[in-house]
Amino acid sequence: MYKVENKIYPCSTSLTMKYIGGKWKSVILIHLKARSKRYNELRKDIPTITERTLSLQLKQLEDDGLISRKVYTSKPPLKVEYELTDFGKTLIPVLDAISQWGHKVAGMSQGVEQVAGC
């Protein structure tokens, strides 16, 4: 059992899902795996996510310490970039495994057609 911020997690899997659970967190992290990106780059990379959801998920990932948000104010317009923290980079093998599993399942399932994406 694990306790984080007064919340109990019964096993390591539930603790992991605290950080990457949900529809979008792992997708966002996959897109930040190779390099830092601006908000609009992420919107283009993940066109089916709403602006509100992307903003909320980025905030949660930042609060959890998986990504960092850097604001550049030296010259207009304001520039904000997101990137994986060292803690976030520890998830890269997990994210790669999830992606590989998805490719394998897509090849085994009828009616699955890859049209675009990560």
Side-chain angles (χ1 to χ4, degrees), residues 8-24:
I8 301 292
Y9 298 90
C11 65
S12 58
T13 301
S14 63
L15 179 62
T16 302
M17 296 313 291
K18 170 213 182 311
Y19 293 101
I20 65 167
K23 183 175 180 178
W24 296 110

Side-chain angles (χ1 to χ4, degrees), residues 24-25 27-29 31-32 37-62 67 82:
W24 296 110
K25 286 183 180 180
V27 175
I28 293 166
L29 293 169
H31 285 284
L32 292 174
K37 292 191 176 185
R38 297 178 71 173
Y39 178 87
N40 282 333
E41 289 179 288
L42 289 168
R43 282 280 293 137
K44 288 176 186 172
D45 288 345
I46 315 168
T48 54
I49 193 171
T50 65
E51 288 188 32
R52 181 177 188 276
T53 300
L54 179 58
S55 294
L56 289 171
Q57 296 293 284
L58 287 169
K59 180 70 174 132
Q60 287 178 1
L61 290 166
E62 184 182 10
I67 64 171
Y82 297 91

